Every structure is written in structure tokens, then in C-alpha cells.
Amino acid sequence: MEVAGQGAAQLELPRGPAKPGAVRFVALGDAGTGGKSQQRIADRMAIFHTERPFDTVILLGDNIYPNGRASDLPGKFERPYAELLSRGVLFYAALGNHDVRQGREAQINYKLFNMGGRAYYSFSKEDNLVEFFVADSTKFDDEQLRWLEGALKRSTARWKIAYLHHPLYSSGTRHGSSEALRFRVEPLFVRYKVAAVFSGHDHFYERTLPQQQVQYFVSGAGGKIRRGNINRRSRFFAAGNDDTNSFVYVEAVEDQLTFWAIDESGNVLDSGTIAPRRALQSRTASWTFDKILGG
């Protein structure tokens, strides 16, 4: 695979309604603190939505700190995201390690998390332009592995995007990569041409170098930030930020997937484009990314 950088230039953010048939979504993890940082990110997402309407948020786990209790859902989810919920934005949750301490059943059956009573599931957008595969990395057993392979194999989506709480690749010094999970799951992502994988757990933003033609992101700064936690000398680190809370905004069209990492003040931390996996079988194909500002 050929990787070409664009220096410090940032891709221009789209404004107004999405192109016909486009899928716009936000990836956000480790958000459910009920604190000021979560509220600032939620407010920024609402401002962002006004100019760039999106209809989907994928929650990357640790949705409700400290233990996922149902009694905390109003204060740590419904209140911070009240404006987006009132505009009809749908949230689709994955489970994190904090969520399952006391709240596994409460969360998978919580209507506003759109999990349908399942800890792992898939859903599609825009006539199957994008299919999302949501894994439960807190309890990844053989049954789930069989489900994931079957779902990926059956999918005819142009873009296959997976998300789960624990990262297969992370340059975090606190948690870092879940290598045992990587051993089990990565072959499926490679074989069935998953384009991108989003996770949380480490409280920062990171984009890795593509691994076997799969792009990995950590977007775990939705409510907490762990400053100074990124090892920028990691062999797979490409860009990241551990200074400010952030979320990732993505727009998918037929021929490319474009992403921007946005901080709580609306600054673009990182951006780039990903070509469809089937175009990357040739050595002449390329993925294009931007260098993080100040990274």
C-alpha cells in the first residue's frame, strides 16, 4: 500500500446538507461522565450539526460512568445530548468495560441506544452504502466471533465500518492495544475488506498507519482526556491529540470516506480520505491523509 501525506493542510469541511446518498456520522467514545467536558463536546456537536447535518452518532463504549447504571442515563446521556436528540439524531452504542459493571442489560435494552436488546449487532445506512458492525469487546466469545464473520461475509455494503470499545491498535501508554482481541478479530477485518475500525478506551484521538489495508481510529476523548498518554514513537502511530477533548466526523460517499477530528472549540485536529478497499488491491492505489496540526 502506498501512503501519501498532505503536510499540515486541512481538508475543507463540508457545509449544508449532505450530497445525495451520502452518509454523515460522528464517532465518539468514553463520553458519559455527566461533567463539563462532556457537555462542551455535546454543545460543539450541536453547533457542528447546524452547518453539517448528520443523523448518526456511533458510541464507542464507556457510555455511562462509572458502572453503566440505568439511573445515570438521564443525567449522563439524555441531558448532554438533548439538543441532538430533539433534532432526530440517532445514537448507536457499543458496550465498554464501565458500562457492563452494572448496566449491561439496561444499556442493550435502552431505546435511545438503538441496540435492540443485543450486545453486538449491525445496521446499514443509505441503501447499504455503509454497514456498521458493532462488537462487544467486553465479552468477545466464540459465538460472537461466528456472528461477526457471518455478518461480514454476507454484507454487500460499499463501506464496511466496525466499532468496539477496546482498540486493536492504540499508542496509549495507559491501556494501549488489545493484542489478544486483535489476534481473533483482525483476520476477519482484513479478509472481508473492512475499511475503518473505530474504538475508544484510551482517552485521546489517534489515527494509525493503515494495518493490512484497514484504517484504525481511537476516538476516546468524548468526556475525558488523558494528557500526555500517546506514545508518538509507536510503530503504527500516524497522528493524534491528547491535549483536548474531541470527536470524529465522517462523510461517506460512493468513491471515498472522508474524516475530520474536531476538538471542543471547533478546531480541526486531523483530516483525510480513505479509498474503498477494493481499489487498494493494486500497488498503484493510494490512501491520502493529513498530518495533524502540531502533532
Side-chain angles (χ1 to χ4, degrees), residues 195-231:
V197 179
F198 292 86
S199 61
H201 201 44
D202 275 316
H203 298 168
F204 51 65
Y205 166 74
E206 181 181 8
R207 167 173 55 84
T208 71
L209 296 170
Q211 302 296 309
Q212 300 187 70
Q213 302 189 44
V214 181
Q215 179 59 59
Y216 293 88
F217 294 91
V218 176
S219 181
K224 295 183 175 183
I225 190 72
R226 189 166 286 128
R227 291 180 172 83
N229 192 233
I230 295 177
N231 174 17

Side-chain angles (χ1 to χ4, degrees), residues 86-210:
S86 73
R87 298 181 191 182
V89 175
L90 298 175
F91 290 72
Y92 297 84
L95 294 174
N97 53 290
H98 282 273
D99 301 315
V100 301
R101 291 179 178 178
Q102 296 181 23
R104 176 183 290 273
E105 293 302 314
Q107 292 201 26
I108 66 174
N109 291 294
Y110 180 50
K111 183 178 180 180
L112 295 179
F113 279 176
N114 291 291
M115 300 177 74
R118 301 181 300 274
Y120 48 89
Y121 59 102
S122 65
F123 63 98
S124 298
K125 294 288 180 176
E126 288 296 333
D127 295 325
N128 212 33
L129 175 66
V130 178
E131 185 168 2
F132 296 90
F133 301 86
V134 190
D136 175 13
S137 59
T138 71
K139 188 181 179 182
F140 197 88
D141 56 17
D142 290 343
E143 181 179 351
Q144 184 177 177
L145 184 67
R146 289 191 292 270
W147 167 83
L148 181 60
E149 179 163 23
L152 288 170
K153 186 176 183 179
R154 289 189 299 271
S155 177
T156 59
R158 175 66 164 173
W159 294 100
K160 298 179 184 180
I161 295 174
Y163 64 98
L164 66 174
H165 183 61
H166 297 86
L168 274 61
Y169 290 92
S170 168
S171 299
T173 59
R174 173 68 179 271
H175 293 307
S177 304
S178 299
E179 294 183 359
L181 186 62
R182 183 199 302 171
F183 178 79
R184 305 193 75 190
V185 176
E186 184 176 38
L188 300 183
F189 293 161
V190 174
R191 182 181 310 143
Y192 296 109
K193 296 182 172 60
V194 171
V197 179
F198 292 86
S199 61
H201 201 44
D202 275 316
H203 298 168
F204 51 65
Y205 166 74
E206 181 181 8
R207 167 173 55 84
T208 71
L209 296 170

Side-chain angles (χ1 to χ4, degrees), residues 28 31-34 38-39 42 57 59 63-64 72-83 85 89-93 110-114:
L28 181 74
T33 65
Q38 181 188 17
Q39 189 63 62
V57 176
L59 293 175
N63 311 305
I64 304 295
D72 284 331
L73 285 163
K76 297 181 179 181
F77 176 74
E78 294 172 24
R79 184 178 62 198
Y81 306 113
E83 181 60 30
L85 291 167
V89 175
L90 298 175
F91 290 72
Y92 297 84
Y110 180 50
K111 183 178 180 180
L112 295 179
F113 279 176
N114 291 291

